[in-house]
Amino acid sequence: MATYRIGLGVSGGIAAYKAVEVMRLLQKSGCEVSVAMTKHATEFVQPLTFRALTDKHVIVDDYDPANPDPIAHINFSQQIDLLLIVPATANIIAKFANGVADDFLSSTYLASSAPVLIAPAMNTTMWENPATQRNIEQLKKDGVHFVEPVAGELACKTVGTGKLEDVENIVRQALELLDAGTGRRGDAEKGRRREAEKNPKSQIRNPKSKDLSGERMLITVGGTREAIDPVRFISNHSSGKMGFAVAEAGHARGANVTIVAGVTTAEPPAGIKLTRAFSAEEMHEAVMKELPNATVFVGAAAVADYAPANSASSKIKKDGKDSMTLELKKTPDILTDVSAHRTNGLLIVGFAAETNDVVEYARSKMKKKNLDIVVANDITQEGAGFNTDTNIATILTPSGDVELPLMSKRALADKILDEVIRRRRS
Ligand code: PMT
């Protein structure tokens, strides 16, 4: 299932090897990737690496007799939904900004009407040079998008801004740009249309539609923290990214959203009501209080199943002991209780974080807890589960399973809400 066609442009910097990782992640998320390289990029990575992994000719020079397409820069540029440049050197940025078309990649930039996303990487002085900044400003005015470089130790052993952003974040931003349908000339819509043409039944959501207006969503987010004593606790790795993404997507689609958040490291979305509840017990209480107002409940939190049976009121001392035994008691199962208090029309979405037999375990949770939808994520997969910006999930619904490739948590949130809408209309 190729969702989007990406033209990946690689220019000549030490970070060129990271373009291979970007290409793999895009492929894993269902994109079809074609690669173009500058001549200098081939000094860092062999075109053969990309050719072996894409099964396509990698274009460096239009005029190369080995190039199977005589007007490659036109064909390549017209057949992509996004032109993504990783890494972008100061030189390629300057060429794009000034309309110079003296090689395949710069000609492709001029000949393409697809959105362009540029991930620069270079030495700090080159990055900060007024000429580079002027070129970037010009490209931004031309509607080009940027994944800004980050600060860190650079290949030249200096520390400063100019390091290529994490590959996961580059891929996330590329997918978000495509999913949002925004771009230089709105051509990201081509990807959507192509999928819709192939599968007319697939309802591709207009991001601007308010199809959840009238719904009141209650969402649990993050991990819980179960006190052993006033100093120590039991918790897990949940960052809140997945739950916050669902909240943000629901809000954008017109729902009235309330978040009950445990421990989170991600930034909560602005403008959405949020109540903090750190332990499973507190989260249960906050949820049951809000539940009568809700029409959709989403349990994205990683709630501890067990908590210390007796949390000590003062710090437990070692007292020379080599070991200690902690007695745990079961916490309230929020999702089961929500389901038991289901009023007419409440739709319930659960999550299942699993390490093996993911779909089977998720299906048994769906049955046991009487859920409408379950989002099963295999937390052992790269780019999925805790504290990542992306996820890989299968959405279980009564009408069948929707197996999804790697995508941003924000894009997955929309897919989940598409299923909520589908259930509402069924
Ligand atoms: O926050 P992130 O870093 O973005 O990570 C996202 C995530 C991995 C936490 C998220 O995608 C996820 O899978 N959340 C559920 C994790 C989990 O605890 O799964 P579970 O299989 O243990 O629980 C199943 C369901 O029951 C979940 O909806 C959970 O919220 C709910 N539950 C569990 C125990 C309990 N006592 N009460 C509950 O409501």
Side-chain angles (χ1 to χ4, degrees):
M1 184 197 74
T3 314
Y4 295 115
R5 296 165 301 178
I6 314 279
L8 178 61
V10 185
S11 65
I14 190 79
Y17 73 96
K18 292 196 178 163
V20 180
E21 269 179 78
V22 168
M23 185 203 60
R24 295 297 278 169
L25 274 178
L26 286 167
Q27 286 177 325
K28 273 192 187 173
S29 65
C31 295
E32 185 187 318
V33 186
S34 308
V35 179
M37 300 175 78
T38 63
K39 198 163 169 303
H40 284 131
T42 65
E43 304 284 341
F44 295 92
V45 184
Q46 288 283 314
L48 182 62
T49 308
F50 292 107
R51 197 178 87 203
L53 295 168
T54 58
D55 210 15
K56 284 185 197 163
H57 179 75
V58 173
I59 311 170
V60 180
D61 174 8
D62 299 54
Y63 305 105
D64 181 349
N67 177 3
D69 183 351
I71 46 165
H73 68 278
I74 300 296
N75 288 337
F76 183 99
S77 61
Q78 298 305 311
Q79 288 166 7
I80 53 176
D81 300 317
L82 176 75
L83 180 61
L84 172 64
I85 313 295
V86 184
T89 56
N91 185 49
I92 200 76
I93 289 171
K95 284 195 203 180
F96 287 178
N98 291 286
V100 176
D102 64 351
D103 65 3
F104 179 74
L105 188 53
S106 51
S107 309
T108 296
Y109 171 79
L110 275 192
S112 176
S113 55
V116 180
L117 181 62
I118 293 183
M122 66 194 76
N123 157 278
T124 309
T125 314
M126 291 174 86
W127 170 251
E128 288 173 351
N129 190 296
T132 304
Q133 290 304 315
R134 206 167 44 239
N135 290 331
I136 288 170
E137 275 319 299
Q138 182 56 53
L139 287 173
K140 284 183 179 168
K141 278 190 205 138
D142 295 344
V144 170
H145 304 267
F146 279 83
V147 184
E148 300 287 332
V150 294
E153 191 184 341
L154 305 174
C156 52
K157 301 289 173 228
T158 56
V159 175
T161 301
K163 194 169 151 45
L164 189 78
E165 172 60 290
D166 285 349
V167 292
E168 272 189 357
N169 283 340
I170 295 172
V171 171
R172 177 178 57 80
Q173 290 191 40
L175 296 176
E176 279 177 4
L177 190 63
L178 286 157
D179 286 338
T182 51
R184 193 151 55 131
R185 298 187 196 152
D187 269 4
E189 273 302 313
K190 277 196 288 187
R192 256 178 253 292
R193 280 204 298 275
R194 214 156 46 86
E195 192 178 293
E197 278 160 19
K198 270 195 290 182
N199 178 9
K201 284 194 184 147
S202 76
Q203 293 249 314
I204 296 164
R205 195 181 62 79
N206 168 3
K208 290 177 190 71
S209 75
K210 300 280 179 198
D211 53 1
L212 285 166
S213 18
E215 298 285 1
R216 293 182 303 280
M217 291 176 63
L218 177 59
I219 307 175
T220 62
V221 178
T224 61
R225 180 182 284 174
E226 312 299 334
I228 297 169
D229 66 14
V231 179
R232 305 162 179 109
F233 55 79
I234 298 172
S235 191
N236 57 62
H237 299 288
S238 177
S239 61
K241 288 180 181 178
M242 188 66 244
F244 286 151
V246 178
E248 195 180 280
H251 180 70
R253 291 168 74 158
N256 184 321
V257 179
T258 299
I259 297 170
V260 175
V263 182
T264 58
T265 48
E267 191 69 23
I272 298 180
K273 181 181 166 195
L274 183 145
T275 303
R276 286 284 174 188
F278 291 116
S279 66
E281 194 86 47
E282 287 164 2
M283 193 175 269
H284 177 259
E285 197 185 319
V287 164
M288 296 325 274
K289 195 166 148 215
E290 294 286 349
L291 191 63
N293 296 321
T295 60
V296 178
F297 177 80
V298 181
V303 186
D305 292 315
Y306 292 90
N310 301 299
S311 167
S313 55
S314 53
K315 185 178 173 188
I316 299 170
K317 296 289 170 206
K318 288 191 282 292
D319 290 336
K321 283 183 259 167
D322 285 341
S323 66
M324 72 176 283
T325 305
L326 206 56
E327 193 191 339
L328 302 178
K329 65 167 195 274
K330 188 115 186 50
T331 56
D333 191 313
I334 302 167
L335 206 49
T336 302
D337 229 13
V338 165
S339 187
H341 289 85
R342 190 194 279 265
T343 47
N344 273 346
L346 179 73
L347 280 174
I348 307 179
V349 181
F351 271 74
E354 303 292 349
T355 53
N356 56 291
D357 303 313
V358 178
V359 172
E360 288 73 53
Y361 280 128
R363 206 180 303 288
S364 81
K365 276 179 189 159
M366 185 172 189
K367 209 166 152 206
K368 203 167 134 208
K369 300 192 185 190
N370 187 22
L371 309 174
D372 296 292
I373 294 168
V374 174
V375 184
N377 38 190
D378 178 348
I379 56 166
T380 62
Q381 288 200 58
E382 192 192 341
F386 294 112
N387 200 20
T388 52
D389 292 313
T390 52
N391 209 348
I392 305 169
T394 299
I395 306 178
L396 277 61
T397 78
S399 47
D401 299 351
V402 183
E403 200 182 328
L404 296 167
L406 180 133
M407 60 179 67
S408 68
K409 283 185 173 168
R410 182 61 178 75
L412 173 60
D414 268 325
K415 299 277 182 206
I416 297 165
L417 296 181
D418 288 346
E419 294 308 321
V420 167
I421 292 287
R422 207 157 284 150
R423 287 292 298 145
R424 199 46 105 210
R425 290 179 184 160
S426 66

